[in-house]
Amino acid sequence: MKQLLLAALLAPLPALAQTTPTPRLPPANPLPYEDAEAAAVMSPINAMFAGLAAHDGAAILAQTRPEGGATVAIEKPDGSRALRHLSWAEFAAGIKPGPEKLEERISTPAIEVDGDIAMVWAPYVFLIDGKAHHCGINHFDLVRENASWKVLNVTWSQRTTGCTAQ
């Protein structure tokens, strides 16, 4: 019986199922967030962006779960790609004081919540002194603990071409 079940699970999908388009995320919640739950999910993300703007790694860490981290998928102008993962401590250590004005802007976030887990998927542009430095897509995984949302992981794509200040 177990072998039959295993064989059924490992069998290729019928051709029709393989050609069915992948479901897309539902329409994003518009800015400003109309739903109190969506606003609560966005709160630690917005606080992280404020910490980034203030060059304050500790403010960013305050919004995260320590076992999580940050992963970036970089697409270089020459077309080569690189993947880099950082613990939250490593990520925060990279936030250095400086005169540059740092700003990350997101647009049209798709926010999904199920109980005590949530995810946010949103295009972003990262600005230095008001000029687009890089852009891509952010994907945040969040968990709710003690009635407060924390960022477990953030994964983002990063490219320098086709970026405009939003």
Side-chain angles (χ1 to χ4, degrees):
M1 183 68 170
K2 286 183 184 178
Q3 288 176 334
L4 277 174
L5 181 58
L6 183 58
L9 290 173
L10 297 177
L13 295 173
L16 179 61
Q18 291 175 347
T19 59
T20 302
T22 304
R24 302 276 302 161
L25 292 172
N29 290 312
L31 296 173
Y33 312 106
E34 295 176 0
D35 163 316
E37 181 108 73
V41 167
M42 288 302 301
S43 180
I45 295 169
N46 291 332
M48 289 178 79
F49 292 160
L52 181 67
H55 297 263
D56 186 350
I60 292 170
L61 284 177
Q63 304 305 316
T64 66
R65 293 272 311 169
E67 67 273 16
T71 303
V72 58
I74 302 167
E75 181 182 320
K76 298 177 184 175
D78 66 4
S80 64
R81 298 174 183 269
L83 193 62
R84 183 169 181 218
H85 177 77
L86 302 164
S87 69
W88 282 122
E90 292 167 327
F91 182 83
I95 308 299
K96 306 281 188 204
E100 303 90 6
K101 180 183 178 203
L102 306 178
E103 181 182 4
E104 186 157 350
R105 294 181 189 166
I106 63 170
S107 60
T108 61
I111 302 168
E112 292 293 323
V113 179
D114 184 40
D116 290 331
I117 67 168
M119 77 100 206
V120 175
W121 176 281
Y124 78 91
V125 63
F126 185 84
L127 307 165
I128 298 179
D129 294 329
K131 295 183 181 167
H133 182 266
H134 63 269
C135 60
I137 299 291
N138 281 331
H139 173 244
F140 292 89
D141 292 320
L142 300 97
V143 293
R144 182 171 27 205
E145 59 183 1
N146 302 321
S148 179
W149 288 101
K150 295 285 185 178
V151 176
L152 179 61
N153 295 297
V154 63
T155 304
W156 71 98
S157 58
Q158 179 178 312
R159 61 187 151 276
T160 57
T161 57
C163 302
T164 57
Q166 301 169 355

